[in-house]
Amino acid sequence: TKILTAVINHLPMSRAELLADIIYRKTGGNALLVNQFVEYLLDDGLLWFSFRQRCWKWDTKTLESKDVFKNAADLISQKILFLPTDIQLALKKMACIGSQCDITILLLICNWNGANKNPPRTLSKLDIAVEEGLVRKNGP
């Protein structure tokens, strides 16, 4: 929402309406999909800020040609497919547990037996999934 607000606020009304119309048609106005779609556009370089012209830019034809995510599940599954395999496996295991799990369970999921004092790399790599908005981290 913050990103979209920043983008829209730095555009003339006619350009803002054009971008908003494209985003609405691609997402059906679903708030989760709107945020994810805008992040997708930024990540893929399809929406960018021109410092020289001091405004947001995009190619309307390219945006129009992008696949429409039918629902949040399509978008999230697409994001998961681009993650490293070990993170995908950890997310699958986490999904079997439920909506929350504590650090002890995460360590088990990441195959940490306690013999090594350092937690496994997979645990720290799960921050990628947090950054992608796939899971939420509670605590430090």
Side-chain angles (χ1 to χ4, degrees):
T1 308
K2 292 177 186 176
I3 295 169
L4 186 57
T5 303
V7 170
I8 297 296
N9 284 339
H10 287 90
L11 289 173
M13 186 57 81
S14 61
R15 298 269 300 155
E17 287 174 351
L18 176 63
L19 182 60
D21 184 55
I22 292 169
I23 293 170
Y24 182 81
R25 282 187 279 114
K26 295 291 182 179
T27 64
N30 178 308
L32 173 65
L33 291 178
V34 167
N35 286 335
Q36 297 292 326
F37 187 66
V38 171
E39 285 181 28
Y40 164 75
L41 296 177
L42 290 167
D43 290 345
D44 280 13
L46 301 172
L47 177 65
W48 68 95
F49 189 79
S50 169
F51 289 99
R52 193 169 68 199
Q53 296 176 337
R54 295 183 182 161
C55 65
W56 288 91
K57 305 292 255 172
W58 66 90
D59 176 28
T60 300
K61 288 181 182 176
T62 303
L63 294 188
E64 293 285 2
S65 71
K66 285 292 147 195
D67 289 335
V68 178
F69 295 106
K70 295 175 185 69
N71 56 46
D74 286 347
L75 184 61
I76 291 168
S77 65
Q78 191 70 16
K79 280 185 155 192
I80 290 171
L81 290 175
F82 285 103
L83 293 174
T85 309
D86 55 339
I87 301 301
Q88 289 182 35
L89 180 60
L91 289 174
K92 287 178 187 177
K93 290 177 181 178
M94 288 171 63
C96 294
I97 293 170
S99 64
Q100 295 183 359
C101 64
D102 63 20
I103 189 70
T104 308
I105 302 297
L106 282 176
L107 289 170
L108 290 172
I109 286 172
C110 296
N111 296 322
W112 188 63
N113 60 12
N116 184 349
K117 294 190 188 244
N118 297 323
R121 283 178 30 115
T122 305
L123 185 61
S124 63
K125 287 170 61 178
L126 280 173
D127 285 338
I128 295 168
V130 172
E131 291 168 10
E132 289 295 324
L134 298 169
V135 293
R136 187 174 62 216
K137 186 175 184 177
N138 291 333

